[in-house]
Amino acid sequence: MVSIGPLPVPGRLLLAPMAGVTDLAFRTVCREQGAAGAVSEMISAQALLYQDGKTRALLRREKVPGLYGVQLFGKEPEILARAAKKALELSGCDYIDLNMGCPTGKIVRNGEGCALMRDLPLAGRIIAAVRAAVPVPVTVKCRKGWDSGSVCAVELARIAREEGADAVCVHGRTRAQLYSGRADWDVIREVKRSVDIPVIANGDVFEPEDVPRILRYTGADLAMAGRGAMGNPWLFSRGAAALAGEPVPPMPGVRERMRVARRQFGLALEDKGEKIACLEARKYLSWYLRGVPYAGYAREKISRVTAAADVERVIDLICRELTGETEDRD
Ligand SMILES: Cc1cc2nc3c(=O)[nH]c(=O)nc-3n(C[C@H](O)[C@H](O)[C@H](O)COP(=O)(O)O)c2cc1C
């Protein structure tokens, strides 16, 4: 079994951190479908130290067992170190992940996220400071580099290893690429060859078969899926089957999809209250209908839910109209 520091990882596919997506409710359903670990949405170190409420709510740990990392972003070693301590204290997370890959304009303009790949000495000081501040493993998530002329994932991974990081996760795209083109798995392979800490391969794991493919191709210890898991937590159970060389079960039908969507919504309701849970459900409920024929009318209804009762009604409608049967609610 692969370990991150002393932590054994119960599987080989992790859920990637995604702001606005991987909240407590979604992390829970992914874990229930076999995700070996999950990472919080990215959390501003500065906001965690100096503001209340919203930022702290992002930290809450899901109740189902499994590896949980909190991801922090920032640029000042001292602030990140203090924030890491606080995140650990408040959440009881298993490890701290440092964001060095976020490409968003307002983050990189501020010298944070992927901008740290343009200042490797500072990235190193951040890793060292956080390493010294917390007793749990520290991981670094980066991209291939800033742009095609400044590919530096290998260099950053070496620095991370030197400064005491316990694993490094590489998304095989540059900042300039954002999410376009194909992820470069060769660079992940190079990173794996260059460091002796676990490497997590990330980028374009969309189908169950991609899990053994990315692991074999890159030699990485673990894989991580982001967009492919949206509305599709079965990527984890089906990916595990593919990895074990077993027949991959087909995508579940509408009934099972709606069972899990209802569960995700119920958890979100508990965690965030009706107003926010409903606004967010407008986005992710539709994802559960990917590939389902004649779903246009249901999507239209989903885009207008404002109360928990609307969500229940639209899920019932989907179960009735798109499967010809009403879902069991036991
Ligand atoms: C909506 C969205 C939000 C994201 N938010 C984060 C984030 O908060 N922290 C992070 O490190 N990466 C974030 N990412 C990047 C993903 O973690 C991942 O590296 C990227 O999507 C590539 O993996 P994939 O091809 O499996 O989606 C985000 C990606 C998306 C699509």
Side-chain angles (χ1 to χ4, degrees):
M1 195 185 281
V2 176
S3 295
I4 296 179
L7 295 173
V9 184
R12 295 190 73 194
L13 182 59
L14 310 170
L15 173 64
M18 288 184 285
V21 178
T22 55
D23 60 1
L24 180 147
F26 186 57
R27 293 197 307 270
T28 301
V29 298
C30 287
R31 234 202 251 305
E32 287 171 348
Q33 296 300 327
V39 187
S40 71
E41 301 170 70
M42 64 179 193
I43 293 170
S44 157
Q46 188 89 25
L48 182 57
L49 291 178
Y50 301 114
Q51 293 166 17
D52 283 337
K54 262 188 10 209
T55 304
R56 291 183 183 202
L58 293 174
L59 286 170
R60 266 198 293 274
R61 183 178 190 138
E62 55 277 36
K63 292 193 183 97
V64 283
L67 223 55
Y68 174 46
V70 164
Q71 189 188 66
L72 297 175
F73 73 95
K75 65 176 173 191
E76 288 156 76
E78 171 61 23
I79 301 268
L80 275 151
R82 281 169 46 213
K85 265 191 187 159
K86 187 151 215 169
L88 178 61
E89 194 183 292
L90 292 171
S91 71
C93 61
D94 298 304
Y95 67 98
I96 299 288
D97 184 47
L98 296 172
N99 182 320
M100 300 195 178
C102 180
T104 308
K106 78 172 194 266
I107 302 282
V108 294
R109 272 195 298 277
N110 202 26
E112 302 171 326
C114 202
L116 290 168
M117 296 195 82
R118 297 212 283 187
D119 189 346
L120 296 180
L122 176 58
R125 288 200 299 281
I126 288 172
I127 298 162
V130 173
R131 170 67 293 157
V134 291
V136 294
V138 174
T139 61
V140 172
K141 183 166 179 286
C142 66
R143 284 186 171 238
K144 174 178 173 176
W146 178 260
D147 58 24
S148 55
S150 61
V151 171
C152 61
V154 167
E155 213 178 330
L156 177 56
R158 286 206 176 111
I159 291 171
R161 161 73 180 86
E162 287 286 293
E163 300 299 348
D166 295 280
V168 59
C169 173
V170 183
H171 173 198
R173 285 187 179 83
T174 61
R175 190 267 162 177
Q177 285 178 289
L178 301 174
Y179 295 94
S180 69
R182 277 179 58 183
D184 174 3
W185 291 358
D186 287 306
V187 76
I188 303 174
R189 179 159 59 179
E190 264 179 73
V191 169
K192 174 62 195 169
R193 285 178 178 161
S194 311
V195 291
D196 60 1
I197 50 175
V199 171
I200 305 167
N202 172 234
D204 297 351
V205 172
F206 291 114
E207 297 297 330
E209 293 75 11
D210 294 333
V211 181
R213 222 160 53 78
I214 197 171
L215 289 172
R216 254 199 312 270
Y217 190 89
T218 61
D221 304 273
L222 298 166
M224 179 179 264
R227 292 163 299 166
M230 289 172 165
N232 180 22
W234 301 276
L235 182 59
F236 297 97
S237 47
R238 297 173 72 228
L243 196 58
E246 293 163 5
V248 175
M251 265 303 277
V254 169
R255 231 169 111 102
E256 168 63 4
R257 294 192 200 189
M258 288 302 108
R259 184 189 69 76
V260 173
R262 199 194 295 276
R263 165 124 181 97
Q264 184 179 339
F265 178 69
L267 289 161
L269 202 57
E270 245 174 59
D271 187 37
K272 301 182 173 179
E274 188 166 16
K275 191 171 166 206
I276 296 177
C278 288
L279 279 177
E280 294 183 352
R282 291 180 183 180
K283 180 174 60 181
Y284 66 77
L285 285 180
S286 281
W287 295 341
Y288 279 95
L289 293 175
R290 203 179 296 145
V292 173
Y294 312 114
Y297 178 66
R299 284 185 202 280
E300 155 74 14
K301 289 262 179 214
I302 288 169
S303 70
R304 283 185 281 131
V305 295
T306 53
D310 299 337
V311 174
E312 292 296 331
R313 262 195 301 274
V314 79
I315 290 179
D316 284 341
L317 170 106
I318 292 166
C319 290
R320 215 172 39 242
E321 303 284 323
L322 299 178
T323 64
E325 55 193 344
T326 305
E327 187 192 11
D328 265 335
R329 287 218 210 170
D330 57 355

